Amino acid sequence: MSACVRTQSNGSGADASHRKKLRVSSSGPASLAQQQTKAVTVVLGAQWGDEGKGKVVDMLAIEADIVCRCQGGNNAGHTVVVEGAEYHFHLLPSGIINPRCKSIIGNGVVIHLPGLFEELEENEAQGLKDWKDRLIISDRAHLVFDFHQQVDQLQELEKGTRSLGTTKKGIGPAYASKAARTGIRIGELVGDYEKFSEKFQALVASHQKLFPALKVDVKTELERYKGFADRIRPLVKETVSYLYNAVKEGKRILVEGANAALLDIDFGTYPYVTSSNCSIGGVCTGLGIPPNVIGEIVAVVKAYTTRVGDGPFPTELLDSIGDMLQKRGAEFGVTTKRKRRCGWLDLALLKFTSVVNGYTSICLTKLDILDTLSTIKVCVGYRLNGKEIDYFPSSTTDLANVEPIYEEFDGWQTSTEGVRSFDNLPPSAQKYVHLLEETLDIPVKWIGVGAGRESIIAI
């Protein structure tokens, strides 16, 4: 969309005056409209998570002024490898490694403060420096308390064999408190502590009515959070105006989506989803930015498909190839440490998430994991009840019953880890990339062929 102001030839004097002001303002700092195609780049997981978003954000953050998290909590897990040091992020934006970059945890994120401080300490030990001057936390972000995590575990136990396989990090119960308008924001913790104490006690009491087995030492928790308030207060800001001004000033803003498109609470494989909107709409509501400031939307696509936890998975491989992908790809959840289920690349799935998110480019990750295969399959569509369908089923029952339609490729059976240009990839690997581009009608701009920051082919 071009950054222009449309005018009517028969406009009133007031309209003309307003247009004049817009023209005058363009000679100074850029207006919001003028920045609309430049200001914000968004990185989203296009499958069921664990696509390698952290590495992509780290790569793009080199040119960014601000990197933001917009939703989710410490149920997310992003790994970044820099000069042999391995950083693990759950709440922190992966771009915090960039020493010249501000990092924002937005209003749409739910924050477990003990987990945040533990994460900071672990990454400091890996070499993270000077984060106190660069980390900003929205005063509108909601808190995840330990009792939310207890509730998460109790709810999963109640479901028995129908459990959802949550991370048990309290994310769902915290978002439920937010939706019920009983949640507590970071700004309330660092503001009037007496009011915070009252709200905390009321929130605990309401949960104990629903879950009699819930044990909370209220006095101890309040003392602990008094200490947390002192530690976190210097980092807390009103971030909506901060980002608005950053856009006006032409700052380069990078948004890191947590979780992934098919874990979105509205568009994912419900109920096997997370409790936030991890599609493009969650960027706007999770940061308070309008849609017209979003330019590039990067889809991070793993060269095969993985999933953690329960739920339908049409291309899942329950054989030696699935085992090979799991072991060779080191497919363990950063947050849960659970093995990831593995399967072939699913283009029918990616078509759907592309429709929802409007991707403008793709970063294909972990292509090197396929290096040893003699034959590779790609799902290009589904059959349901014997008939080919042109949509992604909203029913998990239907999705569990689809028959994948595959195209088969000869594998390249040679290492791609040292390749740094597209033309030097084996012909079969190039064909694999071209099928992805042609099916989705979206260009692949980067290809990951290893774990390190340097293991990227830019096209």
Side-chain angles (χ1 to χ4, degrees):
M1 184 183 297
S2 61
C4 65
V5 179
R6 296 187 178 183
T7 61
Q8 298 287 338
S9 60
N10 60 346
S12 67
D15 289 338
S17 174
H18 178 63
R19 292 196 300 274
K20 184 177 179 181
K21 287 179 181 178
L22 284 176
R23 286 197 297 271
V24 170
S25 70
S26 68
S27 63
S31 69
L32 192 64
Q34 289 171 311
Q35 290 297 322
Q36 64 186 22
T37 59
K38 303 176 184 178
V40 179
T41 295
V42 178
V43 175
L44 297 175
Q47 295 152 300
W48 273 296
D50 310 306
E51 299 93 350
K53 296 181 292 295
K55 179 180 177 179
V56 179
V57 170
D58 173 58
M59 174 183 71
L60 297 177
I62 293 170
E63 301 297 327
D65 299 302
I66 302 170
V67 179
C68 309
R69 269 283 304 275
C70 61
Q71 45 70 227
N74 62 342
N75 58 334
H78 299 164
T79 300
V80 178
V81 180
V82 180
E83 297 176 355
E86 193 168 281
Y87 299 88
H88 298 292
F89 300 115
H90 302 277
L91 279 162
L92 296 170
S94 301
I96 199 165
I97 298 173
N98 181 353
R100 56 168 293 279
C101 188
K102 297 285 187 182
S103 290
I104 292 179
I105 300 177
N107 59 275
V109 180
V110 289
I111 301 173
H112 182 246
L113 286 179
L116 176 62
F117 290 125
E118 182 180 341
E119 182 180 336
L120 284 163
E121 289 165 7
E122 288 176 355
N123 284 295
E124 276 185 315
Q126 291 295 100
L128 179 65
K129 298 177 181 178
D130 303 323
W131 60 266
K132 290 179 183 178
D133 297 326
R134 297 185 290 107
L135 180 61
I136 300 169
I137 300 175
S138 171
D139 58 358
R140 290 180 170 90
H142 278 246
L143 288 163
V144 180
F145 295 104
D146 286 0
F147 69 79
H148 282 130
Q149 297 186 338
Q150 290 183 58
V151 167
D152 205 347
Q153 295 171 30
L154 291 168
Q155 288 176 328
E156 284 287 271
L157 286 172
E158 283 181 357
K159 293 183 180 81
T161 57
R162 294 175 297 143
S163 68
L164 302 177
T166 76
T167 59
K168 300 181 180 65
K169 295 290 186 178
I171 308 305
Y175 276 117
S177 294
K178 178 178 178 177
R181 293 167 290 182
T182 57
I184 302 176
R185 290 171 159 184
I186 287 276
E188 294 173 291
L189 171 65
V190 301
D192 187 328
Y193 197 76
E194 290 303 315
K195 287 185 178 179
F196 166 81
S197 300
E198 292 172 9
K199 286 196 71 172
F200 179 82
Q201 292 175 71
L203 188 58
V204 170
S206 67
H207 280 77
Q208 287 179 324
K209 286 179 182 177
L210 294 171
F211 300 93
L214 188 65
K215 305 296 182 186
V216 183
D217 186 334
V218 172
K219 184 177 179 181
T220 299
E221 283 296 280
L222 285 174
E223 280 299 312
R224 188 163 71 131
Y225 270 83
K226 197 168 189 178
F228 287 156
D230 292 337
R231 292 177 68 182
I232 209 77
R233 188 173 286 110
L235 309 176
V236 178
K237 294 185 186 301
E238 194 287 301
T239 54
V240 175
S241 60
Y242 183 92
L243 286 170
Y244 174 81
N245 289 325
V247 170
K248 285 182 68 176
E249 293 164 9
K251 300 288 188 184
R252 292 165 295 187
I253 300 168
L254 180 63
V255 181
E256 174 182 9
N259 313 114
L262 284 180
L263 296 174
D264 185 279
I265 194 166
D266 285 296
F267 301 110
T269 47
Y270 188 89
Y272 302 99
V273 293
T274 192
S275 297
S276 62
N277 286 111
C278 25
S279 53
I280 193 66
V283 174
C284 297
T285 57
L287 291 170
I289 60 173
N292 64 350
V293 303
I294 296 173
E296 188 93 354
I297 304 172
V298 181
V300 187
V301 177
K302 191 181 288 185
Y304 49 100
T305 309
T306 62
R307 177 165 201 173
V308 172
D310 297 323
F313 187 169
T315 65
E316 184 172 13
L317 291 166
L318 301 173
D319 58 12
S320 59
I321 296 176
D323 289 341
M324 183 280 293
L325 292 173
Q326 196 278 321
K327 291 173 184 174
R328 185 171 163 82
E331 297 295 351
F332 293 91
V334 175
T335 301
T336 64
K337 309 304 179 187
R338 290 180 291 182
K339 283 186 178 182
R340 296 173 186 143
R341 301 155 63 191
C342 297
W344 297 121
L345 183 66
D346 188 338
L347 297 184
L349 175 160
L350 289 168
K351 282 182 185 177
F352 171 69
T353 69
S354 176
V355 166
V356 171
N357 291 296
Y359 306 132
T360 60
S361 62
I362 294 169
C363 178
L364 182 66
T365 62
K366 289 197 167 184
L367 185 69
D368 57 301
I369 303 305
L370 306 181
D371 285 351
T372 62
L373 291 169
S374 59
T375 302
I376 298 171
K377 292 181 180 180
V378 177
C379 173
V380 294
Y382 297 147
R383 289 190 186 93
L384 181 62
N385 300 322
K387 295 182 180 179
E388 191 168 342
I389 58 175
D390 61 357
Y391 61 91
F392 187 81
S394 53
S395 160
T396 52
T397 301
D398 285 347
L399 187 61
N401 290 323
V402 299
E403 175 192 353
I405 301 168
Y406 287 112
E407 283 196 18
E408 195 167 294
F409 291 81
D410 290 332
W412 41 94
Q413 293 186 285
T414 185
S415 175
T416 60
E417 290 185 40
V419 177
R420 293 296 177 267
S421 74
F422 183 77
D423 290 342
N424 288 334
L425 282 174
S428 290
Q430 293 184 28
K431 184 178 178 182
Y432 194 77
V433 174
H434 286 316
L435 177 64
L436 178 63
E437 290 184 314
E438 290 163 8
T439 303
L440 302 181
D441 195 24
I442 304 167
V444 173
K445 287 192 175 181
W446 305 275
I447 301 172
V449 288
R453 177 188 271 182
E454 71 287 350
S455 303
I456 288 281
I457 298 170
I459 302 177

